[in-house]
Amino acid sequence: MRLDKYIAACRACTRREARELLKTGVVTVNGTVCPYGNEKISETDDIRLSGVPLIYRVHLYLMLNKPAGYVSAVRDRRYPPVTDLIPPEFAGMKAYPAGRLDRNTEGLLLLTNDGDFAHRLTSPNKNVYKRYFARLDAPMQEEDIATFAEGMELKDFRTKPARLEITDDPCEVYVEITEGKYHQVRRMCAKVGKNVLYLRRVAIGGLKLDENLAVGDMRELTDEELKKVFSN
Ligand code: URA
């Protein structure tokens, strides 16, 4: 592999940025400074940046606290895509949203360049629960819990069993679903006579939205967090 490609993958930067970095003479290959992006390197070579070993990383996993107004896409004709929020240091790594949130929904959205991961996450057969906080225009009733748990008939499909949790304020609820059909949570709430005024995804599987991540901010998942995604 070319050295600039290797550095781009390790540092999550673009190849052009990697070449600029190389020119400054901070990269060594087996102890010798190498300023050339086209240098061919192999797995056994010891590559260091300012003396620190560079670990090769193929995949990137980002957590976004999605703001309202952005679409879960790579490009869109009318609205800004969530990929506009990718920090510059990850710009060259082709991350895209794994799953989708409506334009008006806030909260936890993962972006990745790992196609298998994205597929597993969005496949309803994998039964990964997505947890949403919803504020409603009318109080949820105790009997609605059973309606959600049984699954309900919507216009185009029957929902899988869902969990409904009513908070101390019955106009504020948590809903957990394993699917991700168009407007699903909004439609399920509407089916029992309540309109969703505000919706935020707060968890995917065992992974919770980082409360310290400001709306609109994005950061890499830790290894620990990554493991939690597929544990409900
Ligand atoms: N359900 C919805 O209605 N909207 C979302 O964004 C996600 C789930």
Side-chain angles (χ1 to χ4, degrees), residues 164-180:
L164 171 67
E165 213 177 289
I166 306 174
T167 70
D168 292 343
D169 174 351
C171 287
E172 294 191 344
V173 298
Y174 288 94
V175 177
E176 292 184 10
I177 55 173
T178 55
E179 303 143 301

Side-chain angles (χ1 to χ4, degrees), residues 96-182:
Y96 59 89
R100 56 184 304 282
L101 290 177
D102 298 337
R103 184 165 55 88
N104 291 327
T105 304
E106 292 186 358
L108 179 57
L109 185 67
L110 299 180
L111 288 90
T112 184
N113 55 5
D114 180 346
D116 288 341
F117 175 90
H119 177 71
R120 277 177 75 198
L121 192 63
T122 50
S123 165
N125 301 328
K126 301 290 179 203
N127 284 330
V128 179
Y129 272 96
K130 284 95 184 178
R131 182 174 170 87
Y132 296 85
F133 168 79
R135 192 169 303 121
L136 311 167
D137 69 346
M140 203 58 101
Q141 315 294 324
E142 284 297 317
E143 58 262 33
D144 295 327
I145 295 176
T147 310
F148 274 64
E150 281 158 18
M152 56 178 83
E153 212 59 58
L154 296 181
K155 207 166 108 198
D156 49 341
F157 79 115
R158 183 175 179 82
T159 64
K160 285 189 167 187
R163 301 174 185 153
L164 171 67
E165 213 177 289
I166 306 174
T167 70
D168 292 343
D169 174 351
C171 287
E172 294 191 344
V173 298
Y174 288 94
V175 177
E176 292 184 10
I177 55 173
T178 55
E179 303 143 301
K181 292 270 171 34
Y182 179 69

Side-chain angles (χ1 to χ4, degrees), residues 19-88:
R19 284 195 287 276
E20 291 304 314
L21 195 69
L22 281 159
K23 282 186 204 156
T24 65
V26 288
V27 176
T28 54
V29 178
N30 301 324
T32 307
V33 170
C34 181
Y36 310 115
N38 62 358
E39 180 83 5
K40 287 280 187 298
I41 49 137
S42 73
E43 275 175 28
T44 53
D45 287 325
D46 176 25
I47 322 287
R48 291 177 184 239
L49 176 75
S50 305
V52 180
L54 282 174
I55 312 296
Y56 187 71
R57 196 174 44 155
V58 181
H59 289 136
L60 177 69
Y61 305 92
L62 298 166
M63 172 191 287
L64 167 67
N65 188 352
K66 180 189 169 298
Y70 282 78
V71 289
S72 303
V74 174
R75 67 182 71 83
D76 190 85
R77 273 202 239 141
R78 292 167 67 195
Y79 302 105
V82 289
T83 47
D84 280 3
L85 299 166
I86 295 177

